[in-house]
Amino acid sequence: MSRHSLSRPRDDSASRPPGRAGAFTPDAIAVDSRALEVGGEWVSTFAVVGYPREVHPGWLQPLLTYPGRVDVSLHVEPVDPVTAAARLKKQLARFESGRRHSSERGQLLDPQVEAATEDAYDLSARVARGEGKLYRLGLYLTVHAPTQETLADEVAAVRSLAASMLLDAKPTTYRSLQGWVTCLPIGLDLVGLRRTFDTAALSAAFPFTSPDLPPPDPTSVGAPTGVLYGFNIGSQGLVHHDRFALDNHNSVILGRSGAGKSYLVKLELLRSLYRGIEVHVIDPEDEYARLATAVGGTQIHLGAQHVQLNPLDLPIHTRPDGRRTAPRDALIRRSLFLHTVIAVLLGNDPTAVQRAALDQAITATYQRAGITSDPRTWTRPAPLLADLAHTLSHAADAAAVELAARLHPYTQGAFSTLFAGPTTTRPEGHLVVHSLRDLADELKPIGTLLTLDAVWRQVSNPAIRRRRVVVVDEAWLLMKQRQGAEFLFRMAKAGRKHWAGLTVATQDTADVLGSDLGKAVVANAATQILLRQASQATDEITRTFTLSQGERQFLLSADRGQGLLSTGTQRVAFQAIASPTEHHLVTSDPAELATYASGEAEPGDSFVELDAA
């Protein structure tokens, strides 16, 4: 075995490369025919020269999850279409010539040649139609070990793993230094052992899918859809998930305060905007303001001056041609919705007598405004909540008078500002944030309900169909009242029919799972994310989600941003990860925000820990 070494003085600081690169440059490199001694460890590099005929998405995942240290390097070089067509034509000519020669001599055809010929014809047709391109791919593996003896065992294990994947890995004999440099993250391929791949095979080589969350169609060669949630804690692969590919598009995120719940919601929201998905957010604490400003979104501050919502507005849809339409039973639906509004305002369900009096008053109030069962009258200005209270107060029924008295704070008292006039806001745009911070605590449940109602009018508009996500942060504000929880449940069930997904996020996990309606909302979410949980709620979560003992302990000890993503039968433990720019837009850590405000840090600076949202 030949051996020579390259070294530099350890103590001569002048000989070190300038800058930070010197800290990562080894003091000495000893070169053998098939291995290198780099610093204090041994490495050996292999080039993959044989590949399986068919591959599936994420097929390199076993190499990336190998328990030892293995560097996997991919070098990709695109081939221009003219050169690709010429090479495929020559290859097909060789195959056909070989087949004819064998046929003329009466020899049996080689099955491998037949398969290669069929693949070449198929690839040539797809390249000619522009359905794919050709690339030259080099795949190299570098195995690390502390000693030369251990390196031999690691090399045998990695080559066995590669063989099980139908990969033929050959050592870079007498080119060990070039092989090691090829696997460094500097973009140099000094070995040059390449293989031609098409677009589908190349895209499947990248670990953009998690083995724990298989794609809905494993045979699809299209680009992966969905958003990046983070990396797989167990395998270090990427967790890439598309909620719109499941049976329903709803998502529920449960986590204790400080677990990174809002951080994850904002990350998913931002990455959904990249895909052209329209997003509506109900923000109780004005946490989404910086994000909305950065992406040009619309912000509506409920409780601010001149911002009003009229719960008696009829659901009138505006078509692209300007015509205004409404469902045939729009007036009846609005009357029933007003029963929910009054129940949320009063904090409890009206009695049967009060409901009868309220129903009569609603009909009389609309009639006084000139709105009847005739759809032609539905475009007239709708009455206000004060008009309904006036009708109740002048009724002969004592139950109606009592309802009017209980509505007084919302029509003429301290909480009347939100309902004092016609609706002044129309939620339109790619991102609409409804902030509830300026609302009194007594008005936040009704503010959430009316905002959801306004959003639902857009979602259910048959003239405009697009993917939408509706985010309800701290959903327990509405779900703590039965009528509000029922409305949220109906929205969760009907959203799929209108290509919309509901995201419910709350830190009051025990309260949500402690009610039947709360469990129903969770059950109607195909995507369920559990972040770090309080010990008091762990038993209920374990029963509801059928967690194993290991998953239970993981949720108790998870760091910020870590959680379980479940899509029914599939679960994966992940760590949320954001780029520095995304982190700046979604963080709500007061220390970091103060640093940004003082100018000590720039928005592009990275932070080690995730936000404690």
Side-chain angles (χ1 to χ4, degrees):
M1 176 181 295
S2 63
R3 178 186 176 99
H4 64 280
S5 63
L6 307 174
S7 63
R8 59 175 173 80
R10 294 180 180 270
D11 299 328
D12 187 3
S13 60
S15 65
R16 291 180 180 269
R20 297 182 178 179
F24 301 97
T25 304
D27 295 320
I29 300 177
V31 183
D32 280 350
S33 59
R34 291 191 177 184
L36 294 177
E37 185 181 6
V38 182
E41 67 176 3
W42 286 80
V43 299
S44 181
T45 303
F46 296 85
V48 176
V49 297
Y51 296 85
R53 182 188 178 192
E54 296 181 358
V55 294
H56 55 82
W59 63 284
L60 286 180
Q61 191 70 27
L63 289 175
L64 302 178
T65 57
Y66 180 74
R69 182 183 173 188
V70 177
D71 296 337
V72 181
S73 178
L74 288 174
H75 293 264
V76 181
E77 176 188 357
V79 180
D80 66 273
V82 177
T83 304
R87 290 180 179 177
L88 285 173
K89 185 176 180 180
K90 291 182 180 179
Q91 188 68 18
L92 286 173
R94 294 192 190 98
F95 284 142
E96 286 297 336
S97 176
R99 294 173 63 182
R100 292 181 181 180
H101 183 269
S102 299
S103 178
E104 290 174 357
R105 292 178 173 271
Q107 298 176 352
L108 295 177
L109 298 178
D110 188 348
Q112 294 185 353
V113 175
E114 287 293 303
T117 304
E118 293 177 4
D119 293 342
Y121 272 112
D122 180 64
L123 182 59
S124 178
R126 283 191 279 118
V127 171
R129 291 193 298 265
E131 297 178 357
K133 295 182 179 180
L134 294 186
Y135 301 86
R136 298 286 293 171
L137 174 72
L139 176 58
Y140 307 97
L141 311 175
T142 295
V143 183
H144 296 252
T147 63
Q148 192 172 12
E149 293 75 14
T150 308
L151 180 65
D153 296 335
E154 291 291 329
V155 165
V158 171
R159 295 192 70 177
S160 298
L161 175 61
S164 69
M165 301 169 59
L166 302 182
L167 295 176
D168 187 8
K170 298 295 185 182
T172 56
T173 306
Y174 296 110
R175 303 178 69 186
S176 54
L177 180 60
Q178 291 86 339
W180 175 66
V181 173
T182 298
C183 283
L184 294 177
I186 54 179
L188 294 178
D189 184 1
L190 303 182
V191 178
L193 292 178
R194 303 287 185 93
R195 184 74 174 266
T196 302
F197 274 54
D198 65 341
T199 304
L202 177 60
S203 62
F206 287 87
F208 287 164
T209 56
S210 170
D212 303 286
L213 294 176
D217 183 10
T219 63
S220 174
V221 297
T225 58
V227 299
L228 174 67
Y229 281 75
F231 62 85
N232 190 323
I233 295 178
S235 65
Q236 300 301 309
L238 299 180
V239 177
H240 201 272
H241 175 57
D242 184 8
R243 59 193 291 180
F244 284 90
L246 302 181
D247 296 335
N248 67 66
H249 318 318
N250 301 327
S251 173
V252 60
I253 302 178
L254 305 177
R256 59 172 294 181
S257 177
K261 170 176 47 56
S262 295
Y263 192 100
L264 179 62
V265 171
K266 285 180 277 189
L267 267 184
E268 182 190 10
L269 180 157
L270 182 59
R271 291 166 181 172
S272 297
L273 291 174
Y274 298 156
R275 301 177 55 210
I277 299 175
E278 184 178 302
V279 181
H280 295 261
V281 181
I282 299 179
D283 178 13
E285 297 296 338
D286 205 22
E287 294 184 16
Y288 296 76
R290 287 183 300 108
L291 176 59
T293 302
V295 301
T298 303
Q299 300 181 61
I300 300 175
H301 293 272
L302 299 184
Q305 192 175 9
H306 306 306
V307 177
Q308 297 162 346
L309 294 176
N310 183 13
L312 280 77
D313 282 339
L314 293 177
I316 305 298
H317 298 147
T318 302
R319 301 170 59 91
D321 56 5
R323 295 177 56 189
R324 305 179 71 186
T325 61
R328 295 181 179 180
D329 56 349
L331 184 58
I332 297 177
R333 289 187 180 185
R334 183 53 35 170
S335 300
L336 295 174
F337 174 71
L338 284 173
H339 285 271
T340 301
V341 171
I342 300 301
V344 173
L345 282 175
L346 302 182
N348 54 25
D349 293 339
T351 64
V353 177
Q354 290 176 334
R355 290 180 66 87
L358 177 61
D359 192 65
Q360 295 176 3
I362 292 172
T363 303
T365 302
Y366 276 116
Q367 289 178 350
R368 289 179 181 176
I371 299 175
T372 64
S373 58
D374 186 356
R376 291 175 296 180
T377 66
W378 293 351
T379 57
R380 295 174 179 175
L384 303 177
L385 185 63
D387 298 326
L388 176 60
H390 181 270
T391 303
L392 287 169
S393 63
H394 288 76
D397 192 347
V401 175
E402 181 184 354
L403 281 177
R406 298 182 64 182
L407 288 176
H408 181 271
Y410 306 100
T411 57
Q412 301 180 19
F415 304 137
S416 61
T417 304
L418 186 63
F419 315 101
T423 300
T424 59
T425 61
R426 302 295 177 187
E428 297 180 354
H430 60 284
L431 171 62
V432 183
V433 177
H434 304 263
S435 175
L436 308 182
R437 187 182 62 176
D438 297 333
L439 281 180
D441 292 341
E442 293 81 359
L443 289 179
K444 287 187 177 180
I446 188 60
T448 303
L449 177 64
L450 295 181
T451 301
L452 281 176
D453 174 64
V455 172
W456 182 249
R457 296 185 192 183
Q458 283 200 332
V459 170
S460 60
N461 187 353
I464 303 177
R465 293 284 181 152
R466 62 170 63 101
R467 290 179 298 177
R468 293 183 173 95
V469 170
V470 182
V471 178
V472 185
D473 206 342
E474 297 303 339
W476 185 243
L477 291 174
L478 181 63
M479 296 179 65
K480 63 183 178 182
Q481 297 181 357
R482 188 182 65 84
Q483 294 285 357
E486 288 181 351
F487 183 86
L488 198 65
F489 174 62
R490 291 194 298 268
M491 190 172 180
K493 291 189 64 176
R496 177 185 60 84
K497 302 176 182 178
H498 300 282
W499 211 11
L502 178 67
T503 297
V504 176
T506 182
Q507 65 184 22
D508 299 302
T509 306
D511 294 331
V512 171
L513 300 181
S515 66
D516 293 337
L517 284 173
K519 291 181 179 179
V521 171
V522 172
N524 275 272
T527 302
Q528 300 167 347
I529 299 177
L530 301 176
L531 302 179
R532 184 175 59 187
Q533 300 294 326
S535 57
Q536 296 84 351
T538 308
D539 292 337
E540 184 65 32
I541 289 177
T542 302
R543 289 192 297 268
T544 303
F545 295 94
T546 319
L547 301 180
S548 65
Q549 188 63 27
E551 292 170 336
R552 171 192 172 100
Q553 293 300 322
F554 170 74
L555 293 180
L556 285 174
S557 59
D559 294 332
R560 285 178 293 183
Q562 293 184 350
L564 285 176
L565 191 154
S566 173
T567 61
T569 59
Q570 308 291 338
R571 286 180 184 168
V572 57
F574 73 99
Q575 168 75 59
I577 187 171
S579 68
T581 302
E582 288 176 323
H583 180 87
H584 169 69
L585 295 178
V586 303
T587 183
S588 59
D589 186 357
E592 293 186 16
L593 297 180
T595 304
Y596 288 133
S598 63
E600 296 179 8
E602 296 295 330
D605 292 345
S606 60
F607 288 81
V608 177
E609 295 186 357
L610 287 180
D611 164 64

